[in-house]
Amino acid sequence: MGDPSRVAFFFFGNMQNRISKKEIAACTLCERLSAYCRTFDRAENRKIADSTYWAKPVPGFGDGSAQLLIIGLAPGAHGANRTGRPFTGDGAGDVLYRALFRHGFANRETSLDRHDGMRLDNVYITNAVKCVPPQNRPTAAEKRACLKWLDREIAFLHGVKIVLAMGKDAFDSYVRLEKAAGRVPRLNAYPFQHGGVYHFEGSDKTLVATYHFSRYNMNTGVLTEDMIDALFQRVRALLG
Ligand code: SF4
């Protein structure tokens, strides 16, 4: 398992790049998203009526020595935006953490809140956009603004070999970082395809694409548990 103290308050290589989870949580760069986050107070759903919302940017979570990085789009309004941990407390998270448990990346299959004892092994989870967006749709400018945090998280995670992007937005965000690093000539040279495996010349990371584990995709059969198992088997094989 990773060292949680390292993850709880991490630093990057030099003082200029120094950053902590607190720093991400305090970001207010996108006016619209910062304001929207703060509109959440208490859950309307009676099952979670006692919840107090995190209601600010949600930093990544997991094993600081991970070889596998999972990137989603953004916090769920009543999931990560409520609990303060990526994919925790909503339908997509239920599917994701159950799969991580089945494939030996997590010590428990249910992800309820930040204090549930969840420990991730060799995987780190984050979102391309750290604030919940209205209708789950960040603008292009918001996606670009938040790339800086994703970039810094990746810089911190020295051991990452595989990046698993959940959905086209997360996929495009990662490809944009590779483009900024000069390893992608054109964004459309990397078309999103579920199960696709992508390499970047001069990079030690491999990108794997998957449909998002959203409740909608699961309910409509776009994605199934069998497809998810096949995906993680592929990831395991790529990790070697
Ligand atoms: S989306 Fe990202 S850049 Fe924008 S306010 Fe939230 S944390 Fe900051």
Side-chain angles (χ1 to χ4, degrees):
M1 295 284 173
D3 175 358
S5 63
R6 185 175 179 224
V7 173
F9 194 75
F10 53 71
F11 297 99
F12 294 104
N14 58 51
M15 291 305 280
Q16 255 187 336
N17 279 343
R18 186 176 148 150
I19 181 181
S20 72
K21 287 194 173 198
K22 282 183 185 168
E23 207 177 335
I24 295 176
C27 180
T28 57
L29 200 58
C30 309
E31 216 171 286
R32 182 183 83 118
L33 297 191
S34 288
Y36 185 63
C37 276
R38 289 195 297 269
T39 62
F40 292 86
D41 182 7
R42 291 218 163 248
E44 289 164 17
N45 181 335
R46 278 169 44 203
K47 277 201 276 185
I48 51 175
D50 289 336
S51 290
T52 300
Y53 277 69
W54 174 259
K56 49 187 183 265
V58 179
F61 157 71
D63 182 350
S65 308
Q67 293 177 298
L68 172 61
L69 170 65
I70 298 178
I71 308 175
L73 168 59
H78 305 287
N81 180 56
R82 174 174 59 89
T83 61
R85 196 171 72 186
F87 286 95
T88 296
D90 62 14
D94 290 347
V95 176
L96 173 60
Y97 284 102
R98 205 162 53 232
L100 291 174
F101 177 73
R102 277 200 306 279
H103 291 271
F105 289 106
N107 69 331
R108 48 177 294 151
E109 62 183 323
T110 53
S111 177
L112 305 173
D113 59 55
R114 300 199 298 291
H115 311 293
D116 61 8
M118 175 70 74
R119 301 267 307 208
L120 298 182
D121 183 15
N122 208 16
V123 60
Y124 193 88
I125 305 174
T126 193
N127 283 301
V129 174
K130 313 295 188 218
C131 293
V132 58
Q135 282 87 49
N136 213 23
R137 287 202 189 122
T139 65
E142 289 160 351
K143 283 186 267 190
R144 273 198 308 276
C146 214
L147 278 180
K148 72 167 188 172
W149 296 126
L150 183 61
D151 194 27
R152 290 194 193 182
E153 283 178 311
I154 292 171
F156 156 71
L157 298 165
H158 300 292
V160 170
K161 288 171 69 177
I162 306 293
V163 176
L164 179 62
M166 289 179 53
K168 187 172 183 316
D169 280 298
F171 178 87
D172 286 346
S173 286
Y174 183 75
V175 175
R176 276 180 200 284
L177 288 181
E178 290 287 2
K179 185 169 186 294
R183 293 188 283 260
V184 169
R186 303 175 322 279
L187 291 180
N188 61 9
Y190 286 78
F192 174 88
Q193 185 183 356
H194 173 79
V197 176
Y198 308 79
H199 302 282
F200 303 89
E201 199 171 338
S203 170
D204 56 355
K205 296 176 183 50
T206 298
L207 176 63
V208 179
T210 173
Y211 295 135
H212 197 280
F213 292 12
S214 67
R215 206 186 292 263
Y216 177 83
N217 282 346
M218 298 302 291
N219 287 347
T220 54
V222 168
L223 195 60
T224 64
E225 298 269 354
D226 283 350
M227 288 166 71
I228 291 171
D229 282 338
L231 183 75
F232 277 104
Q233 281 160 10
R234 187 82 198 274
V235 165
R236 276 281 183 211
L238 288 167
L239 286 173

